[in-house]
Amino acid sequence: MNVQEWLINWFEKNSDLTKDDIEKNVSDDYLAKSWIDSFKFVSFVTEIEEEFKITFSTDEFQNRAFATLEGLNTIIEARIEKEL
């Protein structure tokens, strides 16, 4: 499973959205749209770090791309490459 698929599946399981809705809105700010609350966000980040064996930096958290699935996918893939 690639990163994008993992992210979409996570949101499908942890929000009220359908897979189709998520796929159509990967460039939307999932926090601004209230797809998940702050508690779920912490869980989301923890699960990403465990799944992909990475740790996000403060700069990555502050990157506006972090708030979209499209941007987060790019950040995670870059971190995976960096770790190799």
Side-chain angles (χ1 to χ4, degrees), residues 4-79:
Q4 183 90 357
E5 289 173 1
W6 189 92
L7 294 171
I8 290 169
N9 287 338
W10 189 93
F11 270 94
E12 185 180 18
K13 291 176 190 167
N14 292 280
S15 73
D16 295 331
L17 300 165
T18 66
K19 187 173 186 171
D20 191 46
D21 287 336
I22 298 163
E23 288 174 340
K24 288 179 185 175
N25 297 290
V26 294
S27 61
D28 290 350
D29 183 328
Y30 56 84
L31 295 172
K33 292 207 167 222
S34 300
W35 288 6
I36 56 174
D37 61 22
S38 57
F39 179 75
K40 278 283 190 193
F41 177 75
V42 172
S43 174
F44 180 48
V45 170
T46 301
E47 289 183 44
I48 290 170
E49 290 181 332
E50 289 174 359
E51 175 69 22
F52 298 104
K53 297 173 181 38
I54 60 173
T55 302
F56 292 113
S57 69
T58 303
D59 289 342
E60 288 165 329
F61 280 120
Q62 294 174 350
N63 184 337
R64 295 181 65 82
F66 200 93
T68 70
L69 295 185
E70 187 175 64
L72 189 51
N73 178 62
T74 301
I75 291 169
I76 294 168
E77 287 181 348
R79 286 305 305 273

